[in-house]
Amino acid sequence: MSHDRPSGEVVLPSVDPRPRFDVDAIRAEFPALHQEVNGKPLTYLDNAASSMKPRAVLDAMAAFYERDYSNVHRGVHTLSQRATTAYEEARQDLATFLSTTPDEVVFTRGTTEGLNLVANAWGRTFLRPGDEVVLSRMEHHSNIVPWQMACQATGATLVVLEIDDHGQIAAGEIESKITARTKVVSTSHVSNALGTVNDIPRLAAAAHAVGALMVVDGAQGVPHGPVDPRALGADFYAFSGHKMFGPTGIGVLWGRRERLAAMPPWQGGGDMIRSVSFEQTTYADGPARFEAGTPAIGEAIGLGAAARWLMSKDLAGIAAHEDALLAYGHARLAEVPGLRMIGTAPNKKAVLGFVVDGVHPHDLGTLLDMEGVAVRVGHHCAEPVMRRFGVPATTRASLALYSTPTEIDRLVAALHKALSILS
Ligand code: PLP
């Protein structure tokens, strides 16, 4: 179709050929979003802590528990075979989500367990006194403490990449701190406290140039769409299901197959062995080596459904929607008197962290809840970040693909109301 102007000039209509991202249609798939809290419509802005679940995930889990439930891998009976098939199909779904094959997908309990697995199985085996493990100041505690423990056990040392006032790795840190002594670089893909997107390809190139391993905490990376950890340059990439619209109690550790093959098991037990005797045990290959005991079967199936669900969406539309909303959030929050944003990196995602002069975040969080607005207050398991910015805690509103400008408006209105009460 074209429109002719009186002058005869033909003006093509501005039709975007990409499918339009319809946030209302997305929201309709999330039952939990449609409720009132304290007499107000729920404004759920705590997505970095955990996201809501679409009907597709709830249905997949219910169907498994209602019809196919049994233990996996060890049974010859029909239900066990169905459960095993569904569990392994979920692994395939996650492999597709990560642009890889199932032999690189280890199911874990979540990001924390994935990082502990690498720090224990790889770290305690290969780290030596004098070696260095490089982390950034913006890490979540689950990407600090396991490495600290591995360093204590092996005599290796932690080295910290400092961050600048915007909350991004400071200039010169990568060049000066990733050295011949470095054996591991482990950073978040996206910071949960600041929203900063780290330049993983650059960090990975620096790590690999000195023969070090690149480990990525992807907890806040995957909720925004599929990730290709190999293309990013990672050796390991850990994440949780519950932040990417899947259930709790399940996550993935992606590892390059040669890295997984070279790594001893961490936990011992059923399913991770080839044969056991009192004299000697041999271990299974591939992901099974790291999945001791009965896994979270229904949860893995739920996570597979979440990955399929996300992949079925307009990913470019989601990214554009979330980025526009983040910019809108920054602009609207700037109107609030005494409010200071914590985390202003040019490349950031989905996180609006702030403090307000003279107001404790916990008081703010409680008053926002009275308005139906769910945010997180505290140190967000990132105490070194709080110290860097000289604050004990922040208030954090975090977005997901179903967040809307109206919710930002409600947050800002609730903030004004809360501040009028507190000041
Ligand atoms: N890393 C980051 C960046 C996170 O945001 C979180 C959770 O908030 C974690 C790790 C830990 O995730 P989980 O508690 O699901 O293991």
Side-chain angles (χ1 to χ4, degrees):
M1 195 178 75
S2 65
H3 303 289
D4 289 330
R5 283 185 175 170
S7 65
E9 183 195 349
V10 176
V11 180
L12 293 174
S14 58
V15 175
D16 186 342
R18 290 169 307 181
R20 273 233 169 283
F21 178 71
D22 180 350
V23 71
D24 291 332
I26 292 270
R27 290 180 73 80
E29 297 189 56
F30 287 82
L33 293 178
H34 307 282
Q35 59 177 305
E36 293 198 339
V37 167
N38 294 321
K40 306 283 165 52
L42 170 64
T43 299
Y44 188 75
L45 295 172
D46 193 20
N47 295 287
S50 204
S51 57
M52 295 305 186
K53 318 304 168 201
R55 179 64 69 197
V57 169
L58 304 175
D59 287 351
M61 292 180 75
F64 170 67
Y65 280 115
E66 283 169 11
R67 290 199 302 270
D68 301 328
Y69 182 76
S70 181
N71 208 335
V72 290
H73 294 151
R74 290 180 283 270
V76 292
H77 65 78
T78 301
L79 288 190
S80 177
Q81 287 176 11
R82 275 198 226 153
T84 302
T85 301
Y87 181 70
E88 293 304 331
E89 280 174 358
R91 196 188 305 278
Q92 175 60 63
D93 290 331
L94 270 302
T96 308
F97 185 81
L98 298 168
S99 298
T100 185
T101 45
D103 58 331
E104 294 191 329
V105 176
V106 179
F107 280 124
T108 62
R109 271 196 315 121
T111 314
T112 303
E113 190 175 77
L115 293 169
N116 272 278
L117 200 168
V118 182
N120 279 274
W122 193 95
R124 291 188 192 221
T125 308
F126 297 116
L127 288 173
R128 300 277 174 270
D131 288 348
E132 292 181 350
V133 174
V134 177
L135 311 175
S136 85
R137 174 76 54 192
M138 74 182 87
E139 297 315 308
H140 187 281
H141 297 164
S142 65
N143 196 28
I144 299 174
V145 185
W147 292 113
Q148 208 161 35
M149 292 161 76
C151 285
Q152 279 158 6
T154 60
T157 310
L158 282 189
V159 172
V160 180
L161 299 172
E162 296 298 343
I163 56 179
D164 65 18
D165 290 345
H166 293 288
Q168 58 196 345
I169 293 175
E173 288 292 284
I174 294 178
E175 295 75 12
S176 62
K177 292 191 173 159
I178 299 180
T179 70
R181 289 186 298 280
T182 308
K183 290 294 173 294
V184 180
V185 177
S186 189
T187 71
S188 51
H189 190 178
V190 178
S191 154
N192 68 312
L194 302 166
T196 310
V197 181
N198 279 312
D199 187 345
I200 301 298
R202 179 160 167 238
L203 285 157
H208 292 156
V210 295
L213 197 69
M214 183 70 215
V215 181
V216 182
D217 168 354
Q220 302 293 341
V222 289
H224 309 290
V227 167
D228 182 342
R230 189 186 307 277
L232 285 173
D235 293 289
F236 291 101
Y237 189 99
F239 58 94
S240 305
H242 67 97
K243 296 180 198 283
M244 57 167 278
F245 317 108
T248 51
I250 188 75
V252 165
L253 175 70
W254 171 86
R256 287 180 191 257
R257 65 183 64 78
E258 62 277 15
R259 294 291 190 189
L260 291 174
M263 197 162 74
W266 173 33
Q267 296 176 332
D271 253 14
M272 51 74 72
I273 51 89
R274 196 175 291 151
S275 86
V276 176
S277 73
F278 285 109
E279 290 69 40
Q280 197 192 2
T281 292
T282 53
Y283 306 122
D285 291 327
R289 181 202 294 247
F290 304 104
E291 293 180 7
T294 298
I297 309 163
E299 287 70 15
I301 289 165
L303 180 55
R308 277 202 312 280
W309 180 84
L310 250 179
M311 289 187 286
S312 75
K313 299 300 170 201
D314 164 18
L315 298 170
I318 290 172
H321 170 75
E322 289 186 352
D323 291 347
L325 211 52
L326 185 68
Y328 182 66
H330 270 269
R332 291 286 340 256
L333 287 170
E335 295 166 12
V336 178
L339 185 147
R340 173 163 69 107
M341 295 301 298
I342 304 288
T344 52
N347 192 7
K348 68 175 285 194
K349 282 236 169 259
V351 172
L352 295 158
F354 56 86
V355 289
V356 183
D357 285 344
V359 177
H360 197 283
H362 283 86
D363 296 336
L364 209 49
T366 306
L367 288 172
L368 293 181
D369 183 54
M370 298 311 295
E371 299 300 309
V373 178
V375 295
R376 188 142 297 243
V377 293
H379 53 57
H380 317 293
C381 297
E383 286 189 23
V385 176
M386 300 298 122
R387 263 180 233 122
R388 166 65 180 76
F389 285 92
V391 296
T394 66
T395 302
R396 180 186 71 185
S398 52
L399 312 172
L401 48 78
Y402 44 63
S403 304
T404 65
T406 307
E407 290 185 306
I408 301 278
D409 293 343
R410 286 200 207 122
L411 165 68
V412 173
L415 273 170
H416 282 297
K417 188 165 175 186
L419 293 178
S420 70
I421 295 168
L422 290 170
S423 55

